[in-house]
Coordinates of all heavy atoms in Angstrom, one line a residue:
L194 N -7.8 16.3 23.5 CA -7.9 17.6 24.4 C -8.2 17.2 25.8 O -7.7 17.9 26.7 CB -8.9 18.5 23.8 CG -8.6 19.1 22.4 CD1 -9.7 20.1 21.9 CD2 -7.2 19.8 22.4
N196 N -7.2 14.5 27.3 CA -5.9 14.1 27.8 C -5.0 15.2 28.2 O -4.4 15.3 29.2 CB -5.3 13.2 26.7 CG -3.9 12.7 27.1 OD1 -3.8 11.7 27.7 ND2 -2.8 13.5 26.7
Q197 N -5.0 16.3 27.3 CA -4.1 17.4 27.5 C -4.6 18.2 28.7 O -3.7 18.8 29.5 CB -4.0 18.2 26.3 CG -3.3 17.6 25.1 CD -1.9 17.0 25.5 OE1 -1.8 16.0 26.1 NE2 -0.9 17.8 25.1
V198 N -5.9 18.3 28.9 CA -6.4 19.0 30.1 C -6.0 18.3 31.4 O -5.5 18.9 32.3 CB -7.9 19.1 30.0 CG1 -8.5 19.5 31.4 CG2 -8.4 20.1 29.0
I199 N -6.1 17.0 31.4 CA -5.7 16.2 32.6 C -4.2 16.3 32.9 O -3.8 16.5 34.0 CB -6.2 14.7 32.4 CG1 -7.7 14.6 32.4 CG2 -5.5 13.9 33.5 CD1 -8.2 13.2 32.0
V200 N -3.4 16.2 31.8 CA -2.0 16.3 32.0 C -1.6 17.7 32.5 O -0.8 17.8 33.5 CB -1.3 16.0 30.7 CG1 0.2 16.3 30.8 CG2 -1.4 14.5 30.3
A201 N -2.1 18.7 31.9 CA -1.8 20.1 32.3 C -2.1 20.4 33.8 O -1.3 20.9 34.6 CB -2.4 21.1 31.5
I202 N -3.3 20.0 34.2 CA -3.8 20.3 35.6 C -3.0 19.4 36.5 O -2.6 19.9 37.6 CB -5.3 20.1 35.7 CG1 -6.0 21.1 34.8 CG2 -5.7 20.1 37.1 CD1 -7.5 20.9 34.7
N203 N -2.6 18.2 36.1 CA -1.9 17.3 37.0 C -0.4 17.9 37.2 O 0.0 17.8 38.3 CB -1.8 15.9 36.3 CG -1.5 14.8 37.3 OD1 -1.0 15.0 38.4 ND2 -1.9 13.6 37.0
I204 N 0.2 18.4 36.1 CA 1.5 18.9 36.3 C 1.5 20.2 37.2 O 2.4 20.4 38.1 CB 2.1 19.3 34.9 CG1 2.4 18.1 34.1 CG2 3.4 20.2 35.1 CD1 2.8 18.4 32.7
A205 N 0.4 21.0 37.1 CA 0.3 22.1 38.0 C 0.1 21.7 39.4 O 0.7 22.3 40.3 CB -0.9 23.0 37.5
A206 N -0.6 20.6 39.6 CA -0.8 20.1 41.0 C 0.4 19.6 41.6 O 0.8 19.8 42.8 CB -1.9 19.0 41.0
V207 N 1.2 18.8 40.8 CA 2.5 18.4 41.3 C 3.4 19.6 41.6 O 4.1 19.5 42.6 CB 3.2 17.5 40.2 CG1 4.6 17.1 40.6 CG2 2.4 16.2 40.0
S208 N 3.4 20.6 40.8 CA 4.2 21.7 41.1 C 3.8 22.4 42.4 O 4.7 22.8 43.2 CB 4.1 22.8 39.9 OG 4.5 22.2 38.7
E209 N 2.6 22.6 42.6 CA 2.1 23.1 43.9 C 2.5 22.3 45.0 O 2.9 22.8 46.1 CB 0.6 23.3 43.8 CG 0.0 24.4 42.9 CD -1.4 24.7 43.2 OE1 -1.9 24.3 44.3 OE2 -2.0 25.4 42.4
V237 N 1.9 11.1 35.4 CA 2.5 12.4 35.4 C 3.4 12.7 36.5 O 4.5 13.2 36.4 CB 1.3 13.4 35.3 CG1 1.8 14.9 35.6 CG2 0.6 13.4 34.0
M245 N 11.4 18.0 37.7 CA 11.3 19.3 38.4 C 12.4 19.4 39.5 O 13.1 20.4 39.6 CB 9.9 19.4 39.1 CG 8.8 19.5 38.2 SD 7.2 19.5 39.1 CE 6.0 19.5 37.8
F254 N 7.7 17.4 25.8 CA 6.5 18.2 25.2 C 6.6 19.6 25.7 O 6.6 19.9 26.9 CB 5.2 17.5 25.7 CG 4.0 18.0 24.9 CD1 3.8 17.6 23.6 CD2 3.2 19.0 25.4 CE1 2.7 18.0 22.9 CE2 2.1 19.5 24.7 CZ 1.9 19.0 23.4
R255 N 6.7 20.5 24.8 CA 7.0 21.9 25.0 C 5.8 22.7 25.6 O 4.7 22.4 25.2 CB 7.6 22.6 23.8 CG 8.9 22.0 23.3 CD 9.5 22.9 22.2 NE 8.7 23.1 21.0 CZ 8.7 22.3 20.0 NH1 9.4 21.2 20.0 NH2 7.9 22.6 19.0
I256 N 6.1 23.6 26.4 CA 5.0 24.5 27.0 C 4.3 25.2 25.8 O 3.0 25.2 25.9 CB 5.6 25.5 27.9 CG1 6.0 24.9 29.3 CG2 4.7 26.7 28.1 CD1 6.7 25.8 30.2
E257 N 5.0 25.6 24.8 CA 4.3 26.3 23.7 C 3.3 25.4 23.0 O 2.3 25.9 22.5 CB 5.3 26.9 22.8 CG 6.3 26.0 22.2 CD 7.5 26.7 21.6 OE1 7.7 27.9 21.8 OE2 8.3 26.0 21.0
L258 N 3.6 24.2 22.9 CA 2.7 23.2 22.3 C 1.5 22.9 23.2 O 0.4 22.7 22.7 CB 3.4 21.9 21.9 CG 4.5 22.0 20.8 CD1 5.1 20.7 20.5 CD2 3.8 22.5 19.5
H259 N 1.8 22.9 24.5 CA 0.6 22.6 25.4 C -0.3 23.8 25.4 O -1.5 23.7 25.5 CB 1.2 22.3 26.8 CG 0.3 21.3 27.5 ND1 0.8 20.3 28.3 CD2 -1.0 21.2 27.5 CE1 -0.2 19.6 28.8 NE2 -1.3 20.1 28.4
I260 N 0.3 25.0 25.2 CA -0.6 26.2 25.1 C -1.5 26.1 23.9 O -2.7 26.4 24.0 CB 0.3 27.5 25.0 CG1 0.9 27.8 26.3 CG2 -0.5 28.7 24.5 CD1 1.9 28.9 26.3
K261 N -0.9 25.6 22.8 CA -1.8 25.4 21.6 C -2.9 24.4 21.9 O -4.1 24.7 21.5 CB -0.9 24.8 20.5 CG -1.6 24.6 19.2 CD -2.1 23.2 19.0 CE -0.9 22.2 18.7 NZ -1.4 20.9 18.4
D262 N -2.6 23.3 22.6 CA -3.7 22.3 22.9 C -4.7 22.9 23.8 O -5.9 22.6 23.6 CB -3.0 21.0 23.4 CG -2.3 20.2 22.4 OD1 -2.5 20.4 21.2 OD2 -1.5 19.4 22.8
L263 N -4.3 23.6 24.9 CA -5.2 24.2 25.8 C -6.1 25.2 25.1 O -7.3 25.4 25.4 CB -4.6 24.7 27.1 CG -3.8 23.7 27.9 CD1 -3.4 24.4 29.2 CD2 -4.7 22.5 28.2
G264 N -5.5 26.0 24.2 CA -6.3 26.9 23.4 C -7.4 26.2 22.6 O -8.5 26.7 22.5
A266 N -8.7 23.4 23.4 CA -9.7 22.9 24.3 C -10.7 24.0 24.8 O -11.9 23.7 24.8 CB -8.9 22.3 25.6
L267 N -10.1 25.2 25.0 CA -11.0 26.3 25.4 C -11.9 26.7 24.3 O -13.0 27.1 24.5 CB -10.1 27.4 25.9 CG -9.4 27.1 27.2 CD1 -8.3 28.2 27.5 CD2 -10.4 27.0 28.4
L277 N -14.5 25.5 31.8 CA -13.3 24.8 32.1 C -12.4 25.8 33.0 O -11.3 26.2 32.6 CB -12.5 24.4 30.8 CG -13.2 23.5 29.8 CD1 -12.2 23.2 28.7 CD2 -13.6 22.2 30.5
P278 N -12.8 26.0 34.2 CA -12.1 27.0 35.0 C -10.6 26.6 35.3 O -9.7 27.5 35.4 CB -12.9 27.1 36.3 CG -13.7 25.9 36.3 CD -14.0 25.5 34.9
L279 N -10.4 25.3 35.7 CA -9.0 24.9 36.0 C -8.1 25.0 34.7 O -7.0 25.4 34.8 CB -9.0 23.5 36.5 CG -9.7 23.3 37.9 CD1 -9.7 21.8 38.3 CD2 -9.1 24.2 39.0
T280 N -8.6 24.6 33.6 CA -7.9 24.7 32.3 C -7.5 26.1 32.0 O -6.4 26.4 31.6 CB -8.7 24.1 31.2 OG1 -9.0 22.7 31.5 CG2 -7.9 24.1 29.9
S281 N -8.5 27.0 32.3 CA -8.2 28.4 32.0 C -7.1 28.9 32.9 O -6.2 29.7 32.5 CB -9.5 29.2 32.3 OG -10.5 28.8 31.4
Q282 N -7.1 28.5 34.2 CA -6.0 29.0 35.1 C -4.6 28.5 34.7 O -3.7 29.2 34.7 CB -6.4 28.5 36.5 CG -5.4 29.1 37.6 CD -5.5 30.6 37.6 OE1 -6.6 31.2 37.7 NE2 -4.3 31.3 37.5
V283 N -4.5 27.2 34.3 CA -3.3 26.6 33.9 C -2.8 27.3 32.6 O -1.6 27.5 32.4 CB -3.3 25.1 33.8 CG1 -2.0 24.5 33.3 CG2 -3.7 24.4 35.1
M284 N -3.7 27.6 31.7 CA -3.4 28.3 30.5 C -2.7 29.6 30.8 O -1.7 30.0 30.2 CB -4.6 28.5 29.7 CG -4.4 29.3 28.4 SD -3.4 28.5 27.2 CE -4.3 28.9 25.7
E285 N -3.2 30.4 31.8 CA -2.6 31.6 32.2 C -1.2 31.4 32.8 O -0.3 32.2 32.5 CB -3.5 32.4 33.2 CG -4.9 32.8 32.6 CD -4.7 33.7 31.4 OE1 -3.9 34.6 31.5 OE2 -5.4 33.4 30.4
I286 N -1.0 30.4 33.5 CA 0.3 30.1 34.1 C 1.3 29.8 32.9 O 2.4 30.3 32.9 CB 0.2 28.9 35.0 CG1 -0.6 29.2 36.3 CG2 1.6 28.4 35.4 CD1 -0.9 28.0 37.2
M287 N 0.8 29.0 32.0 CA 1.7 28.7 30.8 C 2.0 29.9 30.0 O 3.1 30.1 29.5 CB 1.0 27.7 29.9 CG 1.0 26.3 30.5 SD 0.5 25.0 29.4 CE 0.7 23.5 30.3
Q288 N 1.0 30.8 29.8 CA 1.3 32.1 29.1 C 2.3 32.9 29.8 O 3.2 33.5 29.2 CB 0.0 32.8 28.9 CG -1.0 32.2 28.0 CD -0.7 32.2 26.5 OE1 0.4 32.7 26.2 NE2 -1.6 31.8 25.7
A289 N 2.3 33.0 31.2 CA 3.2 33.7 32.0 C 4.6 33.2 31.7 O 5.6 33.9 31.6 CB 2.8 33.7 33.4
L290 N 4.7 31.8 31.7 CA 6.0 31.2 31.5 C 6.6 31.4 30.1 O 7.8 31.7 29.9 CB 5.9 29.7 31.8 CG 5.8 29.3 33.3 CD1 5.3 27.9 33.4 CD2 7.1 29.5 34.0
K291 N 5.7 31.4 29.2 CA 6.1 31.7 27.8 C 6.6 33.1 27.7 O 7.6 33.4 27.0 CB 4.9 31.6 26.8 CG 5.2 31.8 25.4 CD 4.1 31.6 24.5 CE 4.4 31.9 23.0 NZ 3.2 31.8 22.1
N292 N 6.0 34.1 28.4 CA 6.5 35.5 28.4 C 7.8 35.6 29.1 O 8.6 36.5 28.8 CB 5.4 36.4 29.1 CG 4.2 36.6 28.3 OD1 4.2 36.4 27.1 ND2 3.1 36.9 29.0
D299 N 10.2 22.0 28.5 CA 9.2 20.9 28.8 C 8.1 21.5 29.7 O 8.4 22.4 30.5 CB 9.9 19.8 29.5 CG 9.0 18.6 29.8 OD1 8.8 17.8 28.8 OD2 8.5 18.4 30.9
H300 N 6.9 20.9 29.6 CA 5.8 21.5 30.4 C 6.0 21.2 31.9 O 5.3 21.8 32.7 CB 4.5 21.0 29.9 CG 4.4 19.5 29.7 ND1 3.3 18.9 29.1 CD2 5.2 18.4 29.9 CE1 3.5 17.6 29.0 NE2 4.6 17.3 29.5
S301 N 7.0 20.4 32.3 CA 7.3 20.3 33.7 C 7.9 21.6 34.3 O 7.9 21.8 35.5 CB 8.3 19.2 33.9 OG 9.5 19.4 33.2
A302 N 8.3 22.5 33.4 CA 8.8 23.8 33.8 C 7.7 24.7 34.4 O 7.9 25.8 34.9 CB 9.4 24.5 32.7
L303 N 6.4 24.2 34.5 CA 5.4 24.9 35.2 C 5.8 25.2 36.6 O 5.4 26.1 37.3 CB 4.1 24.0 35.2 CG 3.0 24.5 34.3 CD1 3.3 24.2 32.9 CD2 1.6 23.8 34.7
V304 N 6.7 24.3 37.2 CA 7.1 24.5 38.5 C 7.9 25.8 38.7 O 7.9 26.4 39.8 CB 8.0 23.3 39.0 CG1 9.4 23.4 38.3 CG2 8.1 23.2 40.5
Y306 N 7.0 28.7 37.7 CA 6.0 29.7 38.0 C 5.8 29.7 39.6 O 5.8 30.8 40.2 CB 4.7 29.4 37.3 CG 3.5 30.4 37.7 CD1 3.4 31.6 37.1 CD2 2.6 30.0 38.7 CE1 2.3 32.4 37.4 CE2 1.6 30.9 39.0 CZ 1.4 32.1 38.4 OH 0.4 32.9 38.7
Y307 N 5.6 28.5 40.1 CA 5.4 28.4 41.6 C 6.6 28.8 42.4 O 6.6 29.4 43.4 CB 5.0 27.0 41.9 CG 3.6 26.7 41.4 CD1 3.4 26.1 40.2 CD2 2.4 27.0 42.1 CE1 2.1 25.8 39.7 CE2 1.2 26.8 41.7 CZ 1.0 26.2 40.4 OH -0.2 25.9 39.9

Side-chain angles (χ1 to χ4, degrees):
L194 294 181
N196 179 86
Q197 295 302 82
V198 164
I199 291 170
V200 170
I202 294 171
N203 204 337
I204 292 174
V207 172
S208 300
E209 285 196 17
V237 167
M245 293 174 186
F254 192 77
R255 299 192 299 272
I256 284 174
E257 58 198 7
L258 291 178
H259 216 139
I260 287 173
K261 181 264 291 187
D262 286 342
L263 294 189
L267 292 168
L277 302 181
L279 294 178
T280 302
S281 299
Q282 187 61 52
V283 178
M284 176 67 139
E285 293 305 312
I286 293 172
M287 288 188 175
Q288 293 285 6
L290 287 165
K291 182 179 178 182
N292 289 336
D299 187 79
H300 47 188
S301 60
L303 256 72
V304 74
Y306 176 85
Y307 291 93

